[in-house]
Amino acid sequence: MPNWYYEKKDLRNTPSIRDGIDFETERRYRKEGARFIMQTGTSMGLGHNTVATGVVYFHRFYMFHSFKTFPRYVTSCCCLFLAGKVEETPKKCKDIIKTARSMLTDEKFASFGDDPKEEVMTLERILLQTIKFDLQVEHPYSFLVKYAKCLKGDSAKLQKMVQMAWNFVNDSLSTTVSLQWEPEIIAVALIYLASKLSKFTVADWAGKQPEHLKWWDMFVQDVTMEILEDICHQVLDLYQQPAPPESAPESPPQLPPSKSSPPMKRANISPVTVTKNSPTMTNPPPKTSVPPPPVEIEANPIPKHITTDNSSSLGGNYGTYPIYPIHQGPPPSQPPPPYNSGVPPPSGPPPQPWQHYPHPHSNSGYYQPPPGPTGGGRNNYYPPQ
């Protein structure tokens, strides 16, 4: 299975950053895409697991692709569409697009192109290859409930603390903590944060042992306070981020829509297994000097058709199979000439007639030829020559 956890230095060397988008702007794009998935999923009555799975797909996708190449709102709808099928709460693609249309402005919805359904369905194929078909995702919600049941204290204060921690888990989806730490550690960190803010001191818990210095020692090991505080600060930073300046673009500059730039060509999906220290693609697309369109909108819909241009980064005629020589007969316009047509016959001895060679084990107990009208020798499984 791929390793989906990255170091902080990897998060500062994503395809978007190498494509000219600064770190803070990429954080804003991730936050907006995650919030859009949550709002769309909530409007359609999807559960928290489905929404969280879609957000994790979204964050993993942009560890391999740039926001300049794939518009984030199209990607958000695609991630939610796939998450619904994985979590067994499927929604029709047209219903997701209809909900997204009601929540986006005309400029933002322009990135869906002329056929939004085809855009999302085409991008789903790229998404599946990008995440290596690793569809199952665990979330902190189940661990949060499991750990909270072991804590002892005032019931009302405990319920308040757990509800606050649950809200922190929801907000953590807008950050990249799911790309840095396992869901068990995230659950512990956000329970710790909620207990501090709600002034609920965990003094006793079920299953307490003398070697347990903290309540989470019975669930996770080797988790330091530095790790927990780092996760808490990343979540708290969401509430302290200033509003973007008025001059900030609504979306990254997009290349103009072009049928000559198919999504599978732009995807350039790496076949190498994801590692923690190398989340980048094997062959990142070269930067171009194409000027951005006059209106900075996400106007880069995914084309409807996959071309089979030999210059594709996936290696030529993607999706087609070559015709092997064994399947090719002689061209109809050039039949093989007879030997008496003036062409010299082939050199060497004439071809020998078909000879039967008996099976080496035909007289042993390992091989028994099937009965047939021919008796011994060649069996009936082979057609007559």
Side-chain angles (χ1 to χ4, degrees), residues 65 125-126 129-130 132 264 267-271 281 313-314:
H65 303 290
R125 181 180 182 183
I126 305 175
Q129 295 187 15
T130 301
K132 308 294 188 295
M264 297 305 298
N268 199 12
I269 300 167
S270 171
M281 297 180 294
S313 60
L314 288 178

Side-chain angles (χ1 to χ4, degrees), residues 50-361:
T50 302
V51 172
T53 299
V55 175
V56 172
Y57 290 164
F58 180 85
H59 287 306
R60 292 178 179 180
F61 180 84
Y62 283 108
M63 291 303 295
F64 291 88
H65 303 290
S66 172
F67 281 97
K68 284 188 176 182
T69 307
F70 293 94
R72 60 188 181 278
Y73 294 113
V74 181
T75 306
S76 299
C77 290
C78 180
C79 292
L80 188 61
F81 177 60
L82 178 60
K85 293 188 285 187
V86 172
E87 298 294 340
E88 298 182 357
T89 56
K91 294 293 182 180
K92 293 182 178 179
C93 183
K94 63 178 182 180
D95 294 337
I96 296 178
I97 294 173
K98 182 179 179 180
T99 305
R101 182 65 186 92
S102 65
M103 300 172 61
L104 296 174
T105 62
D106 293 339
E107 292 182 349
K108 292 180 179 179
F109 194 75
S111 60
F112 285 80
D114 299 331
D115 192 346
K117 181 179 178 180
E118 186 68 20
E119 303 285 345
V120 175
M121 299 295 289
T122 304
L123 184 57
E124 183 187 24
R125 181 180 182 183
I126 305 175
L127 173 62
L128 286 168
Q129 295 187 15
T130 301
I131 63 177
K132 308 294 188 295
F133 292 86
D134 186 9
L135 303 176
Q136 299 301 323
V137 182
E138 287 189 311
H139 303 293
Y141 297 107
S142 58
F143 299 102
L144 170 62
V145 176
K146 174 184 176 181
Y147 301 161
K149 289 182 178 180
C150 298
L151 304 181
K152 296 181 180 180
D154 182 78
S155 178
K157 291 183 178 180
L158 179 60
Q159 178 65 27
K160 178 182 177 181
M161 185 271 294
V162 173
Q163 181 62 58
M164 184 180 295
W166 187 281
N167 295 337
F168 284 145
V169 172
N170 291 334
D171 294 336
S172 70
L173 295 174
S174 300
T175 70
T176 56
V177 294
S178 62
L179 297 176
Q180 303 174 53
W181 304 105
E182 293 82 357
E184 298 93 333
I185 300 178
I186 297 174
V188 168
L190 297 182
I191 291 178
Y192 169 78
L193 175 60
S195 64
K196 291 294 184 181
L197 296 181
S198 63
K199 297 182 172 59
F200 178 81
T201 303
V202 181
D204 193 14
W205 58 91
K208 185 177 182 180
Q209 300 294 331
E211 63 271 15
H212 295 161
L213 301 179
K214 300 291 184 181
W215 63 266
W216 57 80
D217 289 338
M218 62 184 297
F219 301 112
V220 293
Q221 298 177 352
D222 302 328
V223 177
T224 63
M225 291 300 301
E226 289 76 11
I227 294 177
L228 300 183
E229 291 180 357
D230 177 61
I231 297 174
C232 295
H233 284 302
Q234 291 189 52
V235 175
L236 291 176
D237 286 345
L238 287 172
Y239 312 111
Q240 299 175 356
Q241 289 181 357
E246 296 181 359
S247 59
E250 279 292 325
S251 62
Q254 301 283 314
L255 295 176
S258 173
K259 299 297 181 182
S260 63
S261 179
M264 297 305 298
K265 184 175 180 179
R266 288 182 283 138
N268 199 12
I269 300 167
S270 171
V272 181
T273 303
V274 182
T275 61
K276 190 170 185 178
N277 295 325
S278 62
T280 60
M281 297 180 294
T282 303
N283 298 312
K287 296 182 180 180
T288 60
S289 58
V290 180
V295 180
E296 295 180 339
I297 61 173
E298 288 184 332
N300 192 21
I302 300 168
K304 302 176 184 178
H305 304 288
I306 308 297
T307 65
T308 57
D309 185 10
N310 288 334
S311 62
S312 173
S313 60
L314 288 178
N317 295 330
Y318 184 82
T320 61
Y321 294 92
I323 301 177
Y324 291 96
I326 193 174
H327 297 153
Q328 290 180 340
S333 60
Q334 299 179 0
Y339 288 127
N340 58 0
S341 61
V343 180
S347 60
Q352 299 296 326
W354 174 269
Q355 298 181 6
H356 168 67
Y357 295 94
H359 195 279
H361 301 294

